Amino acid sequence: MTGGVDLDRTGPALLFCPADRPDRFAKAAERADAVILDLEDAVLPAERPAARAALAAHPLDPARTIVRVNPHGSSDHTLDVEAALAAGYRTLMLAKAESPAAVRAIEALAAASGSPRIGVIALCETAAGVLAAPQLAAEASVAALMWGAEDLLASLGGSSSRYPDGRYRDVARHARSAVLMAAAAHGTAAIDTVHLVIDDEVGLAAEARDAAASGFQATACIHPAQVAVIRAAYRPSPEQLSAAAALLARAAGEPGAFRFEGRMIDEPVLRHARALLERAEHTVW
């Protein structure tokens, strides 16, 4: 992808910003690792023309900016894509992605505009989208998959994605896992969804730590105060890094599986350690 967001290197905290609030664009860019300028749920339909105009009038760095466009087939979709491309953005988040055809439609619009190759973040937030996650991840232009809990439950006819104690319901947990595995199976990135309770730093930190440990590259958020919590959750501790380095150093002298500090070590465990060190080395915090 040319000029787009590289989720392996930008950092883990992706901050949503309403596209009709250009007064917030620069502040969001300063505080987060990447900004998601939202033309969909955060903007009333009547305000979307002004929001599209704001993309070009208040430019941000395309290497750290994602534009969420309305679903394929909606009245705003083509206008959103064309406005984002005209403003120089190359990473588009497709709301309610449900089929490879929707991704290819964005590719066709980009080709018609003469834009360089783009990256699409397929947002799997409906039942159809979660089931189509493997097919979406297989598309060459798909740079990442993300899942969404609230629209998913709405598509199921449900009323809440979480139990009263804050834990996700099983169907939401299933969707999260399914999207992560589909992304990994096709070598693309996965983004964890937002934590809607802004003041719940403990819950956000726990979910972000789990996301990092499970293999997500980033977590989306809705408020600048959540950025530091997500960064801290994804950042390996000095103790973790030291232990991983010691393990790999020991492995260099071992021909196969071996015992180390009371554990049986084989190749999958070594891959865990390498992943931890790579996250620390290649991510800008």
Side-chain angles (χ1 to χ4, degrees), residues 109-285:
L109 289 170
S113 72
S115 298
R117 192 163 75 89
I118 61 166
V120 176
I121 297 174
L123 181 45
C124 304
E125 54 184 341
T126 65
V130 172
L131 292 178
Q135 291 74 41
L136 290 164
E139 290 294 302
S141 65
V142 170
L145 297 184
M146 178 174 162
W147 79 288
E150 306 314 317
D151 279 300
L152 172 63
L153 266 292
S155 79
L156 297 172
S159 59
S160 173
S161 67
R162 296 180 185 265
Y163 293 111
D165 65 2
R167 292 178 300 118
Y168 277 122
R169 296 184 186 279
D170 290 347
V171 68
R173 291 174 58 84
H174 169 77
R176 182 178 188 253
S177 298
V179 169
L180 173 61
M181 287 190 287
H186 290 88
T188 192
I191 302 170
D192 204 13
T193 194
V194 299
H195 192 83
L196 292 177
V197 184
I198 296 170
D199 295 332
D200 181 20
E201 292 188 3
V202 173
L204 172 61
E207 287 181 6
R209 283 194 298 268
D210 180 75
S214 297
F216 285 94
Q217 275 71 35
T219 292
C221 57
I222 57 173
H223 192 277
Q226 297 177 315
V227 169
V229 178
I230 292 169
R231 285 174 173 166
Y234 274 79
R235 185 183 300 117
S237 70
E239 294 78 14
Q240 287 176 311
L241 295 176
S242 177
L247 174 59
L248 293 173
R250 171 66 180 276
E254 298 289 346
F258 60 97
R259 180 171 176 166
F260 181 73
E261 296 185 350
R263 301 173 65 200
M264 182 57 67
I265 306 299
D266 57 8
E267 182 57 28
V269 178
L270 297 177
R271 289 176 64 188
H272 297 170
R274 294 187 195 107
L276 200 70
L277 294 175
E278 288 172 3
R279 193 192 330 154
E281 179 181 356
H282 295 303
T283 304
V284 178
W285 302 101

Side-chain angles (χ1 to χ4, degrees), residues 73-101:
S74 68
S75 59
D76 287 292
H77 175 75
T78 297
L79 295 172
D80 288 353
V81 173
E82 290 176 342
L85 295 173
Y89 296 117
R90 299 294 174 255
T91 308
L92 307 184
M93 178 180 287
L94 175 60
K96 299 177 180 62
E98 295 184 342
S99 72

